[in-house]
Amino acid sequence: MKHKIKKAFADVFGESEDLRIFFAPGRVNLIGEHTDYNGGHVFPCALTIGTYAAVRERGDRLVRMYSDNFKEAGIKECSLDEIRYQKEDGWANYPKGVMAEYLGSGFSLPHGFDIVFLGNIPNGAGLSSSASIELVTAVILKECHGLDADMIDLVKLAQAAENSFIGVSCGIMDQFAIGMGKKDHAILLNCGTLAFEYTKLGMSGLSIVIANTNKKRTLADSSYNTRLKECREALFDLQKHLSIQSLGELSPSAFDAHAELIQNEVNRRRAKHAVYENHRTQKAAAMFSSNQLHHIGELMRDSHLSLRDDYEVTSLELDTLAEAAWRHAGVVGSRMTGAGFGGCTVSIVKDEAVSDFIETAGAHYEEQTGRKADFYTADIGAGARELKGDDNGD
Ligand code: GLA
């Protein structure tokens, strides 16, 4: 990939002696969905697929950007003195948003860049291609300008860019997993406090298989922000009697005891998902860390069903793939991953059953939906960084 992106850079901006190469992964969340903006736990990991960037520093304030994934969009330009969201800039709004956020937070960005991006995360698959391009940009800006910021600062800047520049009120999970990822580890993150711990994935004899429904969605046009609003309303009702700052502070039994305080039935179901999912996530992380995965299937299934019935963010495509996985004897657990409304499922599959699972679930999926699914065996990699020496990003 390093070679490929250097060539892409030369084709677009000409040969350059002093190119720097950066990488930010995508992420898959094992469990803990729609809990991050509710102050709960998530359990994601960074992948070895992601977004590469080749960068040449400029002497002026111009930024010229090109994405090999959106060749038809051509070169996008802006000045660091005037960064505005422009719908017609499409993908380039993500890096622009990060630049605007740095400037808005008081960092000085003395000079611009020529950047070529090249990603191998399928777009709209729910594996966080947008947070990946945000984080790779955040690392470029920090490293090339020698800024005094740590990775958690970068994670927060990237999330803020998505919230205010792109207009999606996402939580911190994606940016955190992509910034802080560690090879062969998942991250148990308390999104209320940002306390986190790495869990070595002792997966002996098991693989993580991602199945892409190929039904695309973007968070901007999904009902993501509506879900956030519904949870806020539920919290507001509960706060009339309970002194809590987030739904993540409630245990399932405390929730059950006070659920009637939530006026609206839909909001009540949304909140129930957030509370129970948070509980499931902590249980699942403990199972992964002790390599005791006997009950993981039940937790993953309950997670999916709750996202289907109470949170209502699955789809025919996601349900079909998850159900096909549940029926397969070689599958330990399966659920949708990411925001939902399309995107991917994640399954824990016995190594020897992976190819049969892919074949049978793929055929069933096509028969039921008329679409073809893509399957990937996930490799868990490290977080966003400059690629130096023989680090190729994978
Ligand atoms: C998207 C958001 C995350 C998180 C998930 C759902 O990926 O970017 O912050 O809310 O959806 O768990």
Side-chain angles (χ1 to χ4, degrees):
M1 282 302 260
K2 255 177 156 175
H3 179 71
K4 196 171 168 197
I5 195 164
K6 282 182 184 165
K7 180 168 181 323
F9 189 95
D11 291 347
V12 179
F13 292 123
E15 293 288 345
S16 176
E17 288 299 303
D18 39 11
L19 273 189
R20 294 172 74 170
I21 312 291
F22 295 82
F23 172 76
R27 68 96 188 90
V28 64
N29 188 22
L30 296 175
I31 192 163
E33 225 61 82
H34 292 279
T35 45
D36 59 353
Y37 53 83
N38 284 308
H41 290 75
V42 292
F43 195 54
C45 27
L47 298 168
T48 51
I49 53 173
T51 310
Y52 292 76
V55 180
R56 179 173 61 196
E57 299 182 44
R58 295 179 60 93
D60 56 15
R61 308 265 303 152
L62 191 64
V63 179
R64 296 195 296 169
M65 297 179 285
Y66 176 87
S67 168
D68 204 65
N69 298 74
F70 298 95
K71 292 191 178 73
E72 64 293 347
I75 296 173
K76 301 287 179 191
E77 283 193 14
C78 69
S79 156
L80 286 169
D81 297 318
E82 203 197 357
I83 303 180
R84 277 180 297 120
Y85 182 92
Q86 279 177 307
K87 197 163 193 292
E88 62 275 19
D89 281 350
W91 68 269
N93 283 307
Y94 291 92
K96 283 199 319 185
V98 174
M99 293 171 202
E101 200 54 47
Y102 264 98
L103 292 166
S105 309
F107 286 102
S108 122
L109 304 179
H111 61 76
F113 307 91
D114 292 331
I115 313 179
V116 168
F117 295 99
L118 170 63
N120 55 5
I121 308 172
N123 291 318
L127 302 176
S128 281
S129 55
S130 29
S132 177
I133 194 170
E134 287 161 6
L135 254 302
V136 82
T137 308
V139 176
I140 292 169
L141 295 175
K142 172 189 149 64
E143 295 298 334
C144 294
H145 290 122
L147 302 177
D148 180 21
D150 64 19
M151 188 52 88
I152 306 253
D153 297 328
L154 269 51
V155 162
K156 290 180 182 165
L157 281 166
Q159 183 203 9
E162 175 112 15
N163 292 166
S164 52
F165 202 82
I166 304 295
V168 176
S169 309
C170 67
I172 201 162
M173 170 172 73
D174 302 348
Q175 289 80 6
F176 200 98
I178 288 169
M180 300 294 289
K182 182 170 170 182
K183 189 169 169 45
D184 297 331
H185 288 71
I187 308 173
L188 178 65
L189 170 68
N190 177 335
C191 301
T193 62
L194 293 194
F196 68 98
E197 59 193 66
Y198 290 110
T199 301
K200 172 111 177 117
L201 292 174
M203 302 280 300
S204 51
L206 298 172
S207 297
I208 299 173
V209 179
I210 297 171
N212 185 356
T213 60
N214 281 317
K215 181 162 179 234
K216 293 195 181 178
R217 58 106 193 96
T218 62
L219 288 189
D221 60 25
S222 71
S223 308
Y224 187 89
N225 287 351
T226 315
R227 292 294 177 280
L228 176 86
K229 181 174 151 281
E230 291 162 345
C231 289
R232 290 260 158 86
E233 286 170 5
L235 175 64
F236 187 69
D237 284 349
L238 290 166
Q239 284 172 327
K240 288 182 188 145
H241 295 270
L242 295 175
S243 124
I244 52 169
Q245 303 304 315
S246 75
L247 294 174
E249 289 172 38
L250 288 178
S251 65
S253 57
F255 174 81
D256 289 344
H258 297 96
E260 291 309 314
L261 293 171
I262 304 171
Q263 300 295 315
N264 178 297
E265 187 271 333
V266 172
N267 293 352
R268 200 179 307 139
R269 282 192 285 121
R270 306 295 192 241
K272 178 178 175 211
H273 166 78
V275 170
Y276 275 71
E277 180 78 353
N278 183 32
H279 185 63
R280 278 190 285 273
T281 305
Q282 293 168 78
K283 274 169 76 174
M287 289 180 194
F288 272 103
S289 74
S290 57
N291 209 358
Q292 305 266 313
L293 295 178
H294 331 292
H295 297 295
I296 205 77
E298 210 177 301
L299 291 174
M300 291 178 82
R301 188 190 172 103
D302 287 350
S303 167
H304 186 95
L305 293 175
S306 173
L307 288 156
R308 185 188 75 184
D309 300 335
D310 287 335
Y311 222 67
E312 296 180 278
V313 292
T314 68
S315 61
L316 168 73
E317 290 80 7
L318 287 168
D319 294 339
T320 304
L321 275 178
E323 283 158 20
W326 297 337
R327 276 196 301 273
H328 196 287
V331 173
V332 175
S334 184
R335 55 180 288 278
M336 60 151 268
T337 183
F341 314 102
C344 293
T345 60
V346 58
S347 306
I348 311 294
V349 186
K350 292 181 185 152
D351 288 343
E352 66 276 13
V354 169
S355 52
D356 188 68
F357 163 60
I358 292 175
E359 200 176 309
T360 41
H364 177 73
Y365 180 69
E366 191 171 352
E367 199 179 281
Q368 296 294 310
T369 65
R371 289 174 193 272
K372 273 195 192 310
D374 286 320
F375 293 84
Y376 323 85
T377 305
D379 285 322
I380 308 309
R385 63 201 184 271
E386 182 167 8
L387 297 183
K388 293 182 178 159
D390 54 10
D391 183 358
N392 286 313
D394 45 23

